[in-house]
Amino acid sequence: MIFRSRITNILFYLPFLLIAYPLQAASFFSQIAAAPPSGVSPLHHQLLQLAPGATPEALRLAAQALNCADPYAERLAVIDYSLPSTEPRMWVFDLQQHTLLFEELVSHGKGSGDAVANAFSNTPDSHQSSIGLFRTMNSYYGRNGYSLRLDGLEPEVNDLAFERAIVIHGADYVSDDFIAQTGRLGRSHGCPAVREAVTYPLIDSLKENQYVFAYYPDEEWLATSQVINCPNALSLAHR
C-alpha cells in the first residue's frame, strides 16, 4: 500500500518536474551566456550586449574610463568619432536598468573635418571637437536652445570644455535630410550636436553628474590618457 502511494505521488508530480527542470536548465545556460568572457569587464560586456553595432574598442575604452572615474555611475553616453557623421555614432546607456536609451547621429566641429573627423583639440576658438571623458553638468537655455554643459576630466585633452562652451545641444543640421542633401551632417563649433527631436529627452537622461566618453583612435591620447590608463582610480570622481 505504501509502495502504491509513493508511485501515485511520483506520477502526480512528474509533469511538474518535467516542466521545472528544463526551465531551470534554460536559466542556468542563459546565466552562462550572459557572463562576461575571460578578460572582458562586466561593464564592457554590458555595453557590447546593449549596442552590438558600436565599435567594440570604443566601448572597451569607455568602460575602462568609467570604471576608473566612477564605477557606480548611472548613465553613460559613448560617442565614436572614428565613424563618419552619416552613421549613428552616439549611444546613451542606462547602466542601472541595463538598457540602451538612444542610438543617434551626432555632429563634430567644423575644424575637426568634413564627413569624417580626424583632428581634435582642447584649444579655444579652434572649432574642433574634443575627445576623452566628460562629466555632465546642468542643463540650460542658450543661443542653441536647450543645452547641456560638459566638464572635461582630462587635463590638456578636454579640460577647457566648459571655457570653450562645448555643450550638447540640438541642431537642424543633424538630420537624415541634411545628409541626403550634402553627404554629411552639418558641423558645429566643436559641440556634439544632436537631432532636435531628441534634444530634450536625451539631455534630461544625461544631465547632472553622468558621463560622456568621446572616442577616436588618437595614439598620443591612448598612450597618455589618465582615465584609460588610470594611474589613480577614482581620483577624477572627486574633482
Side-chain angles (χ1 to χ4, degrees), residues 24-239:
Q24 292 175 4
S27 176
F28 173 75
F29 287 114
S30 66
Q31 289 177 14
I32 292 177
S38 177
V40 176
S41 73
L43 177 56
H44 180 203
H45 186 60
Q46 179 183 358
L47 301 183
L48 286 170
Q49 288 185 316
L50 294 174
T55 305
E57 182 68 358
L59 298 182
R60 183 183 73 82
L61 294 176
Q64 200 163 308
L66 193 62
N67 279 329
C68 174
D70 187 354
Y72 303 107
E74 296 179 1
R75 303 277 174 84
L76 169 68
V78 177
I79 299 172
D80 182 2
Y81 284 129
S82 72
L83 298 175
S85 66
T86 53
E87 297 182 19
R89 54 180 183 171
M90 180 180 191
W91 298 265
V92 180
F93 303 93
D94 186 321
L95 304 176
Q96 302 299 313
Q97 299 299 319
H98 305 281
T99 56
L100 177 66
L101 300 178
F102 299 92
E103 181 176 9
E104 286 293 326
L105 297 168
V106 63
S107 72
H108 55 256
K110 60 179 60 178
S112 288
D114 196 30
V116 178
N118 52 30
F120 302 89
S121 80
N122 195 34
T123 305
D125 300 319
S126 66
H127 294 172
Q128 292 183 338
S129 297
S130 295
I131 53 179
L133 185 67
F134 303 80
R135 183 187 292 115
T136 65
M137 302 173 71
N138 62 297
S139 59
Y140 70 100
Y141 290 91
R143 63 181 182 180
N144 291 307
Y146 195 50
S147 305
L148 177 62
R149 291 188 172 97
L150 300 175
D151 179 23
L153 300 180
E154 301 201 46
E156 300 182 8
V157 174
N158 62 20
D159 62 343
L160 296 183
F162 181 81
E163 177 184 329
R164 296 177 60 204
I166 301 300
V167 301
I168 296 176
H169 63 81
D172 59 4
Y173 53 76
V174 181
S175 69
D176 290 327
D177 288 342
F178 198 97
I179 292 172
Q181 293 172 15
T182 65
R184 60 167 172 80
L185 288 186
R187 296 164 299 164
S188 66
H189 284 181
C191 296
V194 299
R195 293 186 302 122
E196 290 181 317
V198 300
T199 303
Y200 279 84
L202 189 146
I203 286 177
D204 286 344
S205 75
L206 283 173
K207 65 183 180 181
E208 298 172 359
N209 296 314
Q210 307 304 327
Y211 292 87
V212 176
F213 181 80
Y215 166 79
Y216 185 80
D218 180 271
E219 292 184 2
E220 182 179 356
W221 170 65
L222 293 175
T224 61
S225 169
Q226 293 185 21
V227 293
I228 291 175
N229 301 295
C230 204
N232 187 13
L234 299 181
S235 63
L236 294 176
H238 305 290
R239 269 188 47 180

Side-chain angles (χ1 to χ4, degrees), residues 1-9:
M1 198 67 183
I2 295 175
F3 176 75
R4 182 178 299 174
S5 175
R6 288 178 178 176
I7 291 295
T8 302
N9 287 337

